[in-house]
């Protein structure tokens, strides 16, 4: 009788093998809401979703799509005066201002007459002698909470180089979408 317990019938082997792999079919919306409930605290998902829903760009998106975007977003802090995007940098992310403000500007080179002459334009329009020839920085916009930066660059690969500079006007928290 001891020998009969150790041998397995083909039926027992099938049963054992079928327990190894279980296929679970769950609708995507159910899965996403379950994942959201489980991981929202750890990944700040609710906070990210709130920003997305208040943003002009995402406010009409379906909830399951917003959850996916929220999971991909990464939070970053910038101190007042920090350069977030430099003019000429390759811009591969979409940025959403979570809290704070940024100043967007475009640097215009000095007129040809003054190139090579060690002249630096000041914001007052007068020029000063300087070691660099940067030209004038023209302010384009001041952006704040829930505003989006980098939309054109993220959608159009040919336009990936930033034509403007973005600097934090105060301590600013942003989300970026790689």
């Amino acid at each position: 009788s001891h020998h009969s317990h150790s041998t397995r019938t083909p039926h027992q082997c099938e049963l054992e093998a079928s327990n190894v792999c279980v296929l679970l079919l769950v609708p995507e919306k159910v899965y996403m809401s379950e994942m959201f409930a489980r991981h929202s605290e750890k990944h700040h998902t609710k906070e990210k979703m709130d920003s997305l829903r208040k943003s002009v760009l995402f406010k009409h998106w379906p909830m399951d799509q917003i959850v996916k975007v929220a999971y991909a977003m990464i939070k970053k802090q910038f101190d007042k005066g920090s350069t977030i995007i430099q003019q000429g940098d390759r811009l591969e992310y979409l940025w959403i201002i979570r809290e704070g403000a940024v100043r967007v500007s475009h640097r215009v080179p000095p007129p040809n007459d003054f190139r090579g002459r060690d002249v630096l334009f000041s914001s007052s329009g007068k020029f000063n002698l300087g070691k660099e020839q940067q030209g004038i920085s023209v302010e384009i916009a001041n952006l704040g909470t829930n505003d989006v930066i980098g939309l054109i660059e993220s959608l159009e690969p040919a336009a990936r180089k930033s034509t403007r500079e973005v600097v934090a006007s105060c301590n600013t928290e942003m989300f970026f979408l790689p």
Side-chain angles (χ1 to χ4, degrees), residues 23-42:
L23 181 60
L24 182 61
L25 298 174
V26 179
E28 186 182 17
K29 284 187 179 185
V30 172
Y31 173 77
M32 292 307 282
S33 62
E34 183 60 32
M35 290 304 288
F36 172 73
R38 257 184 224 184
H39 301 290
S40 64
E41 204 58 45
K42 181 182 168 191

Side-chain angles (χ1 to χ4, degrees), residues 7-72:
T7 49
R8 294 181 177 166
T9 65
H11 180 69
Q12 286 174 316
C13 288
E14 284 174 28
L15 228 116
E16 197 171 298
S18 71
N19 288 338
V20 172
C21 178
V22 176
L23 181 60
L24 182 61
L25 298 174
V26 179
E28 186 182 17
K29 284 187 179 185
V30 172
Y31 173 77
M32 292 307 282
S33 62
E34 183 60 32
M35 290 304 288
F36 172 73
R38 257 184 224 184
H39 301 290
S40 64
E41 204 58 45
K42 181 182 168 191
H43 297 285
H44 309 284
T45 311
K46 188 179 180 329
E47 186 182 336
K48 292 174 185 178
M49 286 176 63
D50 287 346
S51 281
L52 286 169
R53 281 192 292 200
K54 289 175 187 167
S55 162
V56 175
L57 184 62
F58 295 99
K59 70 178 175 187
H60 298 295
W61 281 34
M63 186 56 76
D64 56 325
Q65 294 299 315
I66 285 182
V67 171
K68 286 180 187 175
V69 172
Y71 273 121

Side-chain angles (χ1 to χ4, degrees), residues 13-175:
C13 288
E14 284 174 28
L15 228 116
E16 197 171 298
S18 71
N19 288 338
V20 172
C21 178
V22 176
L23 181 60
L24 182 61
L25 298 174
V26 179
E28 186 182 17
K29 284 187 179 185
V30 172
Y31 173 77
M32 292 307 282
S33 62
E34 183 60 32
M35 290 304 288
F36 172 73
R38 257 184 224 184
H39 301 290
S40 64
E41 204 58 45
K42 181 182 168 191
H43 297 285
H44 309 284
T45 311
K46 188 179 180 329
E47 186 182 336
K48 292 174 185 178
M49 286 176 63
D50 287 346
S51 281
L52 286 169
R53 281 192 292 200
K54 289 175 187 167
S55 162
V56 175
L57 184 62
F58 295 99
K59 70 178 175 187
H60 298 295
W61 281 34
M63 186 56 76
D64 56 325
Q65 294 299 315
I66 285 182
V67 171
K68 286 180 187 175
V69 172
Y71 273 121
M73 291 168 66
I74 298 166
K75 191 190 320 191
K76 203 160 181 191
Q77 308 269 9
F78 295 94
D79 294 331
K80 179 182 180 176
S82 299
T83 300
I84 299 162
I85 300 166
Q86 260 185 324
Q87 187 169 317
D89 279 359
R90 190 166 163 78
L91 190 58
E92 296 182 8
Y93 308 124
L94 185 67
W95 294 87
I96 298 172
I97 302 169
R98 159 81 175 95
E99 203 170 44
V102 299
R103 188 180 68 254
V104 181
S105 59
H106 178 78
R107 191 164 296 288
V108 180
N112 285 333
D113 308 354
F114 295 107
R115 286 214 185 129
R117 284 209 194 159
D118 232 16
V119 171
L120 179 67
F121 284 81
S122 73
S123 56
S124 65
K126 296 178 181 158
F127 21 80
N128 303 316
L129 290 176
K131 293 210 166 154
E132 36 192 347
Q133 299 143 351
Q134 295 179 336
I136 325 171
S137 183
V138 179
E139 191 171 288
I140 299 170
N142 286 298
L143 302 176
T145 304
N146 303 317
D147 284 335
V148 177
I149 301 165
L151 180 62
I152 305 296
E153 293 86 351
S154 62
L155 295 176
E156 182 55 52
R160 287 271 161 98
K161 283 205 174 192
S162 178
T163 57
R164 54 205 185 279
E165 182 176 81
V166 179
V167 176
S169 305
C170 57
N171 291 344
T172 301
E173 187 175 277
M174 296 179 79
F175 289 127

